[in-house]
Amino acid sequence: MATPPGPAGAPAGFDLRALLAARGTEGYALHSRHLNPQLPRMLRTLGFDRVYERAEGAYFWDDEGREYLDMLAGFGVMGLGRHHPVVRRALHDVLDAGLADLTRFDCQPLPGLLAERLLAHSPHLDRVFFGNSGTEAVETALKFARCATGRPRVLYCDHAFHGLTCGSLSVNGERGFRDGFAPLLPDTAVPLGDLAALERELARGDVAALVVEPIQGKGVHAAPPGYLRAARELLHRHRAVLIADEVQTGLGRTGDFWAHDHEPGAEPDLICVAKALSGGYVPVGATLGKEWIFRKVYSSMDRVLVHSASFGSNAQAMAAGLAVLCVIEDEDLAGRARATGGLLRERLAALVERYEFLHEVRGRGLMIGIEFGRPRSLGLRTRWNMLQAARPGLFAQLVVGPLLHRHRILTQVSGDRLEVIKLIPPLTIGEPEVDRFVTAFTAVMDEAHAGSGLIWDFGRTLVGQALARH
Ligand SMILES: Cc1ncc(COP(=O)(O)O)c(C=O)c1O
């Protein structure tokens, strides 16, 4: 019997190319109708509602063939850039191999090989659990820390971001994310870098772990030098463990394989990794940990499945992860992130003197925060105050807007109400991309300081919208 025609004019049977040819222009309408409607709404408000059709490396192209530079890398997922040929080939190969994947009653080689390769970068750790996302990697670390220590409470840092499932949300340092989802796990925030606050909490004797991003994604704030190591020592003295969330910072992003490698002896007890390990293709998360922690969790044969995931260790994810680690090493992406990031930071920092709105450029490797602040001169200050009164974070949005509209560079504001732009481009970028970004950024800052022009027209629109929301 012939297959009946698909819905709404889609061809019979499944033909991806034909489906996209028939309905590929409906993305925004379908999103508005069936998915989170606030996404298309927000994109339209910002004028970001483009249709991107194709991508390669650090670039993508819209439906009119215009080229864009990606300084966001899909929130860090595209560490290798899009469609890296080595990862693509690995995925074609794994599909063509027709492996007996996910039988669940055997031990396939790919998970073991990926674990071996990850652990080679963390010689003080012994075992790996594979899940499917960053938040799952963090959930795993929280569960393992509680099980291993027999204690309930987890500490985290103000402004932290560790994912949005309930456990990870419990260690989120931003109220906006938590509101409406309580009650969460027992948890307590401590300021990043404050060892005295950490010790006060540990003294209560109920703490399983401190979870920390070596460089916070929100605002791009690094843990102060010596903090991770000292925190780990304190935690161990109180029989608790250190969890390093390297979901965004890991895999070369900050110029070292792990961001905590920057601090000799930091040696976290558990490390969470995800994002770029996917090669930009197959969702994956991994939690690396010490032998004694895994032994507490998987303490008997009865508990073999006590923490597991149906898709964990699937062959596509493992193949992509292996290819990613190979590329990071072969192309020395950590070294390149260090060099290119250093150049980009240096060239941006040189602008701080020139532009009153520009207060600081910080970060490590290719994780860079550009912070704006109150200008000195009266005319500019009036404009700044007008934006602040409507909603903090609008100035940074005023810069992100023209970077996309006029210079076709995608960036993001680094968190709600923050006057910080975060750059986390693919680690494969080089001097041409640094030049392009710095030239565009300089043009936007010139306009902002001239106090007139499109940027301020856009500002008035955003202020109007912010006030209308109150
Ligand atoms: C530091 C950190 N941890 C965890 C997560 C959550 O990862 P996922 O979105 O894959 O759940 C993120 C995501 O941005 C992150 O930046």
Side-chain angles (χ1 to χ4, degrees), residues 181-220:
F181 300 106
L184 297 168
L185 297 178
D187 60 73
T188 309
V190 290
L192 179 67
D194 187 339
L195 290 166
L198 176 62
E199 188 151 31
R200 269 198 305 281
E201 293 302 329
L202 287 171
R204 288 168 53 187
D206 62 345
V207 171
L210 167 72
V211 54
V212 62
E213 298 153 90
I215 302 181
Q216 288 192 329
K218 179 166 180 175
V220 192

Side-chain angles (χ1 to χ4, degrees), residues 75-77 132-138 160-165 168 212-218 245-249 272 274-275 284-285 367 422:
F75 296 143
V77 164
N132 308 282
S133 64
T135 197
E136 210 180 317
V138 172
F161 188 92
H162 298 289
L164 295 176
T165 51
S168 306
V212 62
E213 298 153 90
I215 302 181
Q216 288 192 329
K218 179 166 180 175
D245 180 347
E246 294 264 11
V247 166
Q248 186 160 149
T249 52
C272 306
K275 289 202 192 263
V284 65
M367 182 165 180
K422 181 166 72 176

Side-chain angles (χ1 to χ4, degrees), residues 16-38:
L16 183 70
R17 285 170 203 261
L19 182 59
L20 284 175
R23 305 198 56 194
T25 57
E26 292 177 42
Y28 283 80
L30 288 166
H31 245 88
S32 300
R33 207 174 312 135
H34 300 304
L35 300 163
N36 173 357
Q38 300 298 353

Side-chain angles (χ1 to χ4, degrees), residues 119 175 214 238 301 343 361:
L119 290 167
R175 281 205 48 186
H238 290 267
M301 249 189 307
L343 177 69
V361 178

